[in-house]
Amino acid sequence: MTVLEQPGAYRPTPPPGWQPRVDAAPLLPDAEPYRLLGTAAAADISPDLLTRLHRELVRGRRYNAQATALTRQGRLAVYPSSTGQEACQVAAGLVLEDRDWLFPSYRDTLAAVARGLDPVDALTLLRGDWHSGYDPHAHRVAPLCTPLATQLPHAVGLAHAARLKGDDVVALALVGDGGTSEGDFHEALNFAAVWHAPVVFLVQNNGFAISVPLAKQTAAPSLAHKAVGYGMPGRLVDGNDVAAVHQVLTEAVCRARGGGGPTLVEAVTYRIDAHTNADDATRYRADSEVEAWRAHDPIALLEDAMRDRHLLDDEGVRAARESAERLAADLRERMHQDPVLDPMALFEHVYADRTGQLREQAAQLRAELDAEAADSGTATDSGKGER
């Protein structure tokens, strides 16, 4: 059978019976963001799941506040807060199996923490102490990605490789609305759909690419609508409804694991804090807009729904907050400890086997450190780091 003889194959001049390769209708997102809390369907949500989601949301809010405070104290060089977006972050961290991979962007430290990464390790890159701060393979969390959207092709490549090897692995890649304006986003979606890769793309549409509003980035009906152009389903969800985000992501992950291919999920949320501690958000948005989104706070939405079902009372709220305070206190204490850094660690974890050039550079640095130590009368381990 030739290429042109395959069912649905493209022909320069379509015959009368030509049909599109894929029916577009099932791929299109809903007209409105999917919501779960406050609807009749919310009664079917597991109480244990709601309790866990609530605990992680409260801890996530406190984590964001503590990390922001650490920047003001000079303990972090920069921190891109995800306050207001905790529902997306927590859901992303909880839907994956241990064998799966999370591909975060620079704003997604909370997602990594929700997945089980040590909060101090998650912030090490932003502190400037280490290449990544953690072993990506051990935690199945890719390094925090500062360049926009470059983690998306990486996620597709890993997912595709896992499928070729027969490994039951799904990759979940996070990106902001600004990242969808990058070529890497489009290339990743195209490869994922063509390869039928088990990958889920979660776009956290928080309204702004730094200071650029979404309306100046795209004229599409929604970012989820972009999925149909690549031949994958697009889902539109209320990004502040943690139960809805968790359900939509769970369905997308199950679809990918079952051989259904990739899914693009757009979570409509809002960045309450500035882009980073170096940004002045008042220059491009009004306080009234921020306050309107505060009224749609993910924690308040969940707590109201849980109280309606008698799943949460004042004691439960207090217990969640106390757990969050313990997390913040531990983070604060350990981040106030000055790190002990070894210059030779610069050469660690670059390649599995060092190149000749790296060995030469490592030897040169070791010689300089030994000479400096000799001048100061401090002994060093001259063999360290030269393998």
Side-chain angles (χ1 to χ4, degrees):
M1 178 183 291
T2 68
V3 172
L4 292 180
E5 290 172 336
Q6 293 178 6
Y10 173 76
R11 298 171 178 83
T13 304
W18 179 86
Q19 294 293 326
R21 294 187 62 237
V22 177
D23 182 7
L27 306 182
L28 291 170
D30 295 334
E32 294 291 331
Y34 175 70
R35 295 179 176 86
L36 194 51
L37 296 178
T39 71
D44 298 327
I45 307 173
S46 163
D48 290 341
L49 174 60
L50 290 177
T51 300
R52 185 181 184 190
L53 291 172
H54 175 256
R55 176 177 177 271
E56 293 299 331
L57 282 183
V58 175
R59 283 164 55 90
R61 179 65 54 85
R62 188 65 184 89
Y63 166 83
N64 271 310
Q66 185 59 69
T68 299
L70 288 168
T71 63
R72 301 189 182 115
Q73 298 163 3
R75 290 296 177 178
L76 284 178
V78 65
Y79 183 66
S81 173
S82 58
T83 297
Q85 301 177 221
E86 291 95 345
C88 301
Q89 303 267 311
V90 166
L94 296 184
V95 298
L96 298 175
E97 301 289 342
D98 289 343
R99 61 188 178 278
D100 297 330
W101 275 79
L102 179 72
F103 283 78
S105 73
Y106 58 87
R107 196 179 299 280
D108 301 323
T109 54
L110 176 55
V113 171
R115 181 152 169 75
L117 188 64
D118 185 300
V120 172
D121 291 344
L123 294 174
T124 296
L125 175 67
L126 302 175
R127 195 180 189 185
D129 291 348
W130 196 250
H131 301 294
S132 171
Y134 55 89
D135 182 347
H137 189 269
H139 297 280
R140 294 295 200 270
V141 178
L144 295 170
C145 186
T146 301
L148 291 183
T150 56
Q151 75 275 19
L152 304 186
H154 300 163
V156 175
L158 182 141
H160 178 56
R163 189 175 68 87
L164 293 178
K165 292 171 62 180
D167 293 341
D168 186 20
V169 170
V170 174
L172 173 57
L174 280 62
V175 67
D177 52 286
T180 66
S181 297
E182 296 289 328
D184 300 77
F185 171 81
H186 302 277
E187 292 156 6
L189 264 65
N190 195 56
F191 273 115
V194 170
W195 287 340
H196 217 60
V199 60
V200 177
F201 302 97
L202 173 59
V203 179
Q204 297 174 84
N205 176 7
N206 65 17
F208 295 92
I210 306 181
S211 61
V212 180
L214 183 64
K216 292 187 177 181
Q217 297 181 60
T218 180
S222 75
L223 295 174
H225 276 80
K226 294 180 182 292
V228 68
Y230 298 99
M232 69 178 70
R235 295 296 307 275
L236 186 62
V237 62
D238 182 344
N240 286 19
D241 183 336
V242 67
V245 179
H246 187 274
Q247 178 178 308
V248 168
L249 288 180
T250 298
E251 292 171 354
V253 168
C254 290
R255 179 178 181 273
R257 199 183 309 281
T263 302
L264 173 64
V265 178
E266 177 189 356
V268 181
T269 182
Y270 195 78
R271 192 191 74 213
I272 294 296
D273 290 343
H275 175 67
T276 68
N277 51 294
D279 175 43
D280 180 8
T282 62
R283 299 182 62 182
Y284 54 84
R285 66 183 187 184
D287 291 341
S288 58
E289 178 179 301
V290 179
E291 291 307 311
W293 275 93
R294 287 188 188 277
H296 194 60
D297 182 270
I299 297 178
L301 289 177
L302 180 57
E303 288 185 349
D304 288 346
M306 293 180 68
R307 287 182 184 274
D308 287 344
R309 289 181 58 185
H310 305 290
L311 300 176
L312 183 69
D313 54 17
D314 291 345
E315 180 58 33
V317 171
R318 181 163 49 252
R321 291 177 178 174
E322 289 174 354
S323 174
E325 286 302 325
R326 289 192 294 271
L327 178 147
D330 177 70
L331 177 61
R332 185 169 56 248
E333 178 183 355
R334 291 193 288 148
M335 290 295 289
H336 278 302
Q337 298 172 4
D338 291 333
V340 179
L341 304 179
D342 179 8
M344 293 304 300
L346 178 67
F347 301 97
E348 297 293 332
H349 312 302
V350 180
Y351 292 101
D353 297 311
R354 288 188 186 173
T355 64
Q357 187 178 40
L358 279 180
R359 288 196 297 271
E360 180 180 347
Q361 292 172 353
Q364 180 179 349
L365 177 58
R366 171 53 63 196
E368 293 175 359
L369 292 173
D370 286 345
E372 181 180 341
D375 291 341
S376 62
T378 302
T380 65
D381 178 3
S382 60
K384 184 177 180 180
E386 294 183 9
R387 68 177 184 277

